[in-house]
Amino acid sequence: MPRPQLARRALLSLTPSALRWQSSSIPKARPLTGILIANRGEIALRVNRTASEYGIRTTTVYTDPDAHAQHARVTPHSVNLGPPSAYLDVDKIIKAAKERGCDSIHPGYGFLSENSAFAKRVTEEGLIFIGPPSTAIETMGNKSQSKDIMLKAGVPCIPGYHGSNQDPEFLLQEASKIGFPVLVKAVKGGGGKGMRIAKTPAEFPDMLNSAKSEARSSFGDDVVLVEKYITTPRHIEVQVFADNHGNCVALGERDCSVQRRHQKILEESPAPDLDPVLRKDIWNKARAAALAVGYQGAGTVEFIFDNDTGEFFFMEMNTRLQVEHPVTEEVTGTDLVHWQLLVAAGLPLPLTQEQIERQMEGHAFEARIYAENPDMGFVPDSGELVYLRTPKTSSTVRIDAGFGEGDVISPHYDPMIAKLIVKGPDRRAALAKLRAALGEYEVVGLSTNIEFLKKLAAHPAFIAGEVETGFIDKHRSSLFAIEPTPPEAYAQAAMSVILNGNVQQTPADPFSVWGGNVGFVGSFQERIVEFVEKKGEAESRIPVSVKQTARDTYDLTVDGKISYPSVTAHISPLEKSKVIGFYPHTRLETTVVRKEDTLVVFQRGKQYKLDTPRPAWFEKALGVADVANSVLSPMPCKVLRVSVKEGDRVAKDAPLVVIESMKMETVIRSPHDGVIAKIVHGEGDVVKAGVALVLFEEDSESESTRAAE
Ligand code: ADP
Ligand code: ADP
Ligand code: MG
């Protein structure tokens, strides 16, 4: 946990020398009295927590889809900004700050946090921007400009071309000079967007186009740079902090190598097995980078570390608080949001470099819990958190979350649900704690990456610290291996159905297939609860026979093969979704929650999804028959581009439609060879999940497929 008392002491102990500084050239220290938090979700709550702790008033803002969001409910005053995109509405945010009597604005991360024009405007309006000077944001916001400055400051950069010539032929020549593979990167890029790998000269033009087009739509600027693609890199970043008294410190490093779509999902501090000399060198280069741009406040200098050569290169600087800042807080015993407030108030940093190094201890991990489907290329999901149980928090287990049970993960915004942060005396201990805590995380209502994170945290290569950005690809077969569902999961799910009469139902649940079973208990007859197992196109039934032999006692047989005689079972008096069964030699607690036709089962730290037979009317209601021979939208989204015309003959895997959901582009590819009969939704259309986007002609294959890259 952050130790705010340390920093609080520093706030009070303004040294005479610091005061003298302020009376001359340095702006006067001015305590913050009211902060407008121009963000949402967990970071808005995070900033609010520290501000409130120090008695600073806060005001939050929200948009129409966020009217009931937690961050809007934590302050007595929250200002409605209007439409979904209004977190970017500079005028409204500044007006809200002034009207609510705030003297400062905290931008969080994302949204306006790295918008130099916003930072400038806030200052011009007489408010304090809780972040670096706008000039530093501007310089660092441009990946090519920042490289120039870094090279001058003696910070190593990845070999490549980062000049202004954007002629495709010229860029191809530069790429050939660097040597393939190369990475094409939007200079204004962020969030892993606007980035494409070109493995060969032949695919360079395509990759250049697609990087440019994503950059245009995401950042309104399609200038790119080309650099050497490092094939087995690690992502190592340094947390820096600077004040306006000339102090600049490094609060250690974080390894964020485990990524999907160039976006981090597991972060840790310190970086495993980093040579101590190299480690100090990276810290010093990061401090040099910050000083070179007159930095103030919290920043992160990202480096790419070449596993093959042991060299490291500056990649970019993020001029804000990062999502993964908690791992640094845990190992340094600091509250970085408090440090941000101190610096914004014109006060000096609370600790020196030596003090930070002296109090650094232990190892911390952060796992990002996302609403997404790892089995479908990590496409984002959205929907209601129908059921949510989180690990017990303690001095070593922390959860920074923006949403609770009943809240909705909206398709308008980033799909991160929460961050799980754990700490241990060393890496092994912290990782064991991470696995245990993930095992306690239960989410029903949408797809999450929790099962995937469990596999990552238990992977022998990860345990051995063999991290690299290609980790997921390299270990794809073991990370995506399908694990068989244990018979006890079926047995306990069946008991839950029988004992509840009706498994816990969500209010809007269209199913009540189990309704007829109420009143069975006590009638001493055999009942069969059926599950459906899908293997590709094939479907088989898995029956569980439940025979009551005495009060609370049952003989169970799963799939006609595995028998559990004389099981006693009951529903937890505290929680209807929990079945407690006594099997021979085993007391087994299992959570069973129904979401439509799926029973989501949590047992022994793992989640299983058991399908139940769909009632025939449901298929009709869904309109599945009407969308046969079509390609469906995998998630709620907006159609950005349609790459085919009616009558086109397409091959399997040909791009059909580009969609955008949660600010991310996804290419929908053809599931098979065929002829396009109809474009159902065109550019700009906003569609729900499971809606037909493109229809194929009758004689082209007759399967309905959800396909996503
Ligand atoms: P009111 O309830 O009329 O807003 P207050 O005396 O509570 O008046 O506060 C005065 C001003 O300070 C308000 O107009 C508001 O801008 C700001 N303020 C006070 N408390 C809060 C708070 N908890 N959150 C946000 N703003 C606040
Ligand atoms: P963003 O602004 O989107 O975060 P970065 O430049 O920080 O972009 O790169 C994001 C990720 O892409 C890095 O963490 C790393 O995994 C990968 N990456 C970036 N540059 C290279 C490179 N030259 N070679 C290999 N991988 C790279
Ligand atoms: Mg980055």
Side-chain angles (χ1 to χ4, degrees), residues 237-558:
E237 59 181 36
V238 180
Q239 175 71 57
V240 293
F241 236 102
D243 60 21
N244 57 14
H245 301 265
N247 303 307
C248 178
V249 297
L251 290 115
E253 79 289 347
R254 299 181 285 253
D255 190 301
C256 314
S257 297
V258 182
Q259 306 179 342
R260 46 111 186 80
R261 296 173 174 279
H262 300 297
Q263 266 191 307
K264 306 155 184 168
I265 45 178
L266 260 185
E267 299 106 339
E268 62 184 297
S269 183
D273 297 323
L274 195 59
D275 174 76
V277 177
L278 195 91
R279 188 171 181 226
K280 285 276 167 81
D281 192 23
I282 292 189
W283 295 1
N284 289 334
K285 292 291 189 314
R287 291 165 80 183
L291 288 169
V293 290
Y295 204 77
Q296 280 171 32
T300 295
V301 185
E302 297 188 333
F303 294 96
I304 194 157
F305 178 82
D306 192 335
N307 257 345
D308 295 334
T309 64
E311 289 171 289
F312 65 88
F313 305 102
F314 170 84
M315 198 156 46
E316 65 163 343
M317 180 166 185
N318 293 321
T319 52
R320 55 173 160 83
L321 195 67
Q322 302 261 100
V323 176
E324 60 274 21
H325 75 275
V327 292
T328 300
E329 295 185 321
E330 294 308 315
V331 295
T332 57
T334 53
D335 175 346
L336 296 183
V337 172
H338 182 227
W339 283 39
Q340 287 191 296
L341 305 187
L342 294 176
V343 171
L347 294 164
L349 296 179
L351 297 174
T352 63
Q353 185 67 38
E354 292 66 36
Q355 286 172 320
I356 292 166
E357 289 177 31
R358 225 175 298 132
Q359 73 179 52
M360 265 188 197
E361 52 139 4
H363 200 103
F365 282 96
E366 174 183 280
R368 300 193 194 183
I369 315 288
Y370 276 108
E372 66 182 17
N373 188 342
D375 294 327
M376 273 172 59
F378 298 95
V379 286
D381 200 4
S382 53
E384 187 187 333
L385 295 166
V386 173
Y387 175 94
L388 176 68
R389 294 293 177 276
T390 53
K392 246 197 218 82
T393 56
S394 66
S395 61
T396 53
V397 177
R398 161 178 169 185
I399 295 171
D400 283 12
F403 309 96
E405 187 170 286
D407 288 346
V408 170
I409 304 300
S410 153
H412 297 291
Y413 306 108
D414 187 273
M416 192 172 76
I417 301 170
K419 308 187 302 202
L420 170 64
I421 305 113
V422 297
K423 188 187 175 180
D426 55 35
R427 189 173 190 270
R428 214 160 250 282
L431 194 48
K433 192 152 279 179
L434 178 65
R435 285 192 296 270
L438 285 168
E440 293 174 38
Y441 228 116
E442 302 181 346
V443 180
V444 179
L446 28 69
S447 303
T448 74
N449 64 343
I450 296 173
E451 293 311 295
F452 186 74
L453 289 168
K454 288 177 193 171
K455 287 186 185 166
L456 278 174
H459 199 281
F462 188 74
I463 292 172
E466 292 163 14
V467 289
E468 57 178 281
T469 60
F471 189 91
I472 292 174
D473 261 340
K474 183 170 171 185
H475 300 288
R476 189 159 282 277
S477 59
S478 48
L479 290 171
F480 289 90
I482 297 169
E483 284 181 34
T485 306
E488 285 95 342
Y490 286 108
Q492 291 280 87
M495 281 318 303
S496 164
V497 168
I498 300 285
L499 292 171
N500 277 319
N502 200 335
V503 175
Q504 184 179 350
Q505 232 172 309
T506 61
D509 201 327
F511 288 86
S512 62
V513 271
W514 309 111
N517 291 345
V518 187
F520 149 66
V521 176
S523 59
F524 291 86
Q525 67 195 98
E526 179 186 10
R527 294 299 296 258
I528 306 285
V529 179
E530 262 194 329
F531 297 96
V532 180
E533 193 178 42
K534 290 176 190 146
K535 277 198 183 121
E537 289 303 290
E539 261 191 28
S540 58
R541 297 276 161 126
I542 298 187
V544 180
S545 142
V546 182
K547 232 180 277 171
Q548 190 168 18
T549 55
R551 200 184 133 80
D552 288 351
T553 308
Y554 308 84
D555 285 347
L556 301 176
T557 306
V558 177

